[in-house]
Amino acid sequence: MAPWPELGNSHSDPNKYIEEAPTHQSMSEKDKETPSNNAHSPVSKIELLPSYSTIALIEEPAVEQDPWDMPTLKDSGVKWSERDTKGKITAVLQGFGKVLLLLGFLYLFVCSLDVLSSAFQLVGGKMAGEIFRDSSVLNNPLAGLVIGVLVTVMVQSSSTSSSIIVSMVSSSLLTVKAAIPIIMGANIGTSVTNTIVALLQAGDRDEFRRAFAGATVHDFFNWLSVLVLLPVEVMTGYLYHLTNVIVKSFNIKSGKNAPELLKVITDPFTKLIIQLDKKVIDEIATGNEAAKNKSLIKIWCKTFKNVTLSNVPVHSPENCTSPNLCWTDGNLTWTSMNTTYEENLEKCKHAFVNVSLSDLGIGLILLALSLLVLCTCLILIVKVLNSVLKGQVAAVIKKTLNTDFPFPFAWLTGYLAILVGAGMTFIVQSSSVFTSAITPLVGIGVISIERAYPLTLGSNIGTTTTAILAALASSGNTLENSLQIALCHFFFNISGMLLWYPIPFTRLPIRLAKGLGNTTATYRWFAIFYLIFCFFLIPLAVFGLSLAGWQVLVGIGAPILFLLFVVLVIRVLQSRCPQILPKKLLNWAFLPLWMRSLGPWDGLVSIIIGNCCQLPCCCVCCRVCCRCSKCCGLLEDDEHVKEIAISGSEVYENTTAITKETQPGSKTQEEGQDRQTFSSSMAL
């Protein structure tokens, strides 16, 4: 008989127990020969044996599940083979109806993103044009970078930012070399949309962890690419020279407009809500003072321009259009020039054409409505996907999206995903739409973050191909400049992909996004802090210091960057080579708690949110968007949200002590992390 498993907290002598087991076996063999000796056998020892096994089999230590594992989407319904004919027909009709609902919600989701972009342009479009007017600041590469971020965040469209840059370059207000950092900043700013979409999945902790990591992998790729490529571009100008050679080498002529694929479907609906005159922002950026008083809302959709040659008075003969067309009549000097008269024929047919509100007022209304529709559609899309992706359907989809090619062609799978991402972005003609659409799929576990990363890289490349086609449709003096800027954008994303994808250990954006996902899953308010800090506060601070001069920017920025570099080096050494560090630097325990842990900040945020969420409007918003039924009453009943002390089990009080003895470094790590309790108010 094999020995019973021993408990870690048992008070009996294990050696004695192991020795007694063979004795019991030998006695049982002897009993077969002499049955009369059964009465004298030591029964007490045999009766005590089950006490060693019963609890051990029940109280096995639970294996912690990796939160990044793909969740299993189980089918709780009736199997197909068990359905009768009526049940099968009903199931098919239900599936067809769910697919139609999914397509309908996805259509409204894309339309709400378009309206959201229009709302941001109404709120901050003129301010974005004003920012671009100071060309002296734009010649500073770092200032140009953060201006590209701010403007793209304000107008929620990298194509709008690119069109402003092309207009300024064509008007000789900006050089192509100075425009390249702005294009890099626009590439960063366009990733804010899917980060906002990820915030809407904060109701479920694991779902939010995956969704936020899937969204911010785009952010980290863009920031890391800029961190490496911007200094290289400033020192060498490789993007400028490469694209200049390409543009000069080919005799490129103006062609047809870029094909509009998704906009053919969405424009009929969005144009019923709002239509904008985007030329106003370009005119403000190029220095047209009269454009400041114009409204961005388009009133007249059909106009007629009549150009006539007429005689007009001028101040002096130097203002004449030509010496042959100049004459003097008395005290006046006359010349002939073309005069354009514009006649309005037909008004636009959208909801705000006759509304007498300011651009800011209409923009705030559209901002609130578009966010509400976006939030509602995203929640409904996730619910429909959860009901559709069950059983064999889920298994087939997850296997198709996340399975690699067989060896030795497994490395080709990621590059195929890049091509798929580029193709899908070319179809929808917007990287924001594509990345925002895959974010909820990452959240519910259909697409892994390792597969979402190459899809995002392909999306970055796909949106630049659309810009190249749009540039080829330009005419006159804007063709060469717009094409060179579009090519700079294209080769910037190609260079970033070569830096952070081909070699597996260089895929830092995935690891950084997972780390941020773990943090935001524990402290969900940190997601909003990250969004505001990275896309607003840092760019505004750098822009403000740039206005004060490069000496101030370097004097303040250099010590901060040096401190961050030192912290990064120490952090790497702590995890890789702790033996070379002094004892004090093995962890961050020498720092105050508020400098090394989010716990104290979480308590402060919990107090603020607890006071604010007593308002009725906050209660409704919290219940709808975060799916929290106890938002304004009791605290959320969640095993991750309750205050959990890291003590041992109540049954085996010495289990934790044994674990700490077997793992000498665990206590130090726990003290350094200071995560002994979780806050009870971490919902948004």
Side-chain angles (χ1 to χ4, degrees), residues 178-243:
I180 293 175
I182 307 176
I183 289 294
M184 294 182 181
N187 206 60
I188 294 174
T190 192
S191 63
V192 72
T193 307
N194 56 321
T195 308
I196 294 174
V197 170
L199 291 177
L200 303 178
Q201 291 185 264
D204 184 88
R205 191 174 300 275
D206 290 331
E207 207 173 281
F208 184 50
R209 174 188 284 109
R210 291 188 293 267
F212 200 76
T216 53
V217 73
H218 193 186
D219 304 346
F220 284 115
F221 168 77
N222 289 331
W223 282 110
L224 289 174
S225 299
V226 166
L227 189 64
V228 175
L229 296 178
L230 181 61
V232 174
E233 174 63 24
V234 171
M235 290 185 290
T236 64
Y238 86 101
L239 285 176
Y240 172 76
H241 295 299
L242 176 62
T243 55

Side-chain angles (χ1 to χ4, degrees), residues 401-475:
L401 293 176
N402 300 301
T403 303
D404 294 336
F405 289 138
F407 182 82
F409 303 106
W411 60 275
L412 289 173
T413 310
Y415 295 98
L416 178 62
I418 291 175
L419 293 177
V420 171
M424 293 299 297
T425 305
F426 179 79
I427 292 174
V428 301
Q429 292 193 336
S430 174
S431 60
S432 298
V433 170
F434 177 72
T435 53
S436 299
I438 67 173
T439 296
L441 296 178
V442 176
I444 65 176
V446 176
I447 301 177
S448 65
I449 187 173
E450 287 78 11
R451 185 66 72 240
Y453 179 52
L455 289 172
T456 301
L457 299 185
S459 177
N460 271 355
I461 297 172
T463 191
T464 58
T465 57
T466 305
I468 292 173
L469 290 177
L472 290 173
S474 304
S475 58

Side-chain angles (χ1 to χ4, degrees), residues 128-135 138 147 151 164-165 168 182 285:
E130 289 286 347
I131 291 175
F132 271 121
R133 290 189 63 182
D134 194 352
S135 57
L138 295 177
I147 286 174
V151 171
I164 298 174
I165 296 168
M168 295 184 66
I182 307 176

Side-chain angles (χ1 to χ4, degrees), residues 46-202:
I46 299 174
E47 289 179 351
L48 292 176
L49 286 177
S51 64
Y52 291 99
S53 63
T54 306
I55 304 178
L57 295 175
I58 297 175
E59 297 292 340
E60 290 182 352
V63 179
E64 293 185 2
Q65 186 179 3
D66 186 1
W68 296 104
D69 288 341
M70 301 289 286
T72 303
L73 303 175
K74 298 180 180 180
D75 188 4
S76 57
V78 183
K79 293 183 179 180
W80 180 263
S81 57
E82 299 176 357
R83 298 177 184 267
D84 55 6
T85 305
K86 182 179 178 181
K88 291 180 179 180
I89 294 174
T90 304
V92 170
L93 292 177
Q94 287 179 350
F96 185 70
K98 289 179 180 179
V99 172
L100 289 180
L101 282 175
L102 185 61
L103 293 176
F105 292 142
L106 189 61
Y107 176 78
L108 291 177
F109 177 78
V110 175
C111 290
S112 63
L113 285 176
D114 194 357
V115 176
L116 182 67
S117 175
S118 300
F120 272 106
Q121 291 180 49
L122 285 171
V123 173
K126 290 186 177 181
M127 187 184 300
E130 289 286 347
I131 291 175
F132 271 121
R133 290 189 63 182
D134 194 352
S135 57
S136 61
V137 177
L138 295 177
N139 291 323
N140 182 347
L142 199 57
L145 173 72
V146 297
I147 286 174
V149 176
L150 286 172
V151 171
T152 308
V153 169
M154 286 180 183
V155 300
Q156 283 289 292
S157 174
S158 60
S159 59
T160 302
S161 303
S162 301
S163 66
I164 298 174
I165 296 168
V166 169
S167 300
M168 295 184 66
V169 172
S170 302
S171 304
S172 301
L173 297 174
L174 193 66
T175 62
V176 175
K177 187 174 288 188
I180 293 175
I182 307 176
I183 289 294
M184 294 182 181
N187 206 60
I188 294 174
T190 192
S191 63
V192 72
T193 307
N194 56 321
T195 308
I196 294 174
V197 170
L199 291 177
L200 303 178
Q201 291 185 264

Side-chain angles (χ1 to χ4, degrees), residues 64 67 154 175 213 300 335-336 367-368 387 428 465 509 571 626 668 682:
E64 293 185 2
M154 286 180 183
T175 62
W300 300 95
T335 187
S336 298
L367 185 64
S387 64
V428 301
T465 57
R571 186 67 187 89
C626 297
T668 305
M682 290 183 288

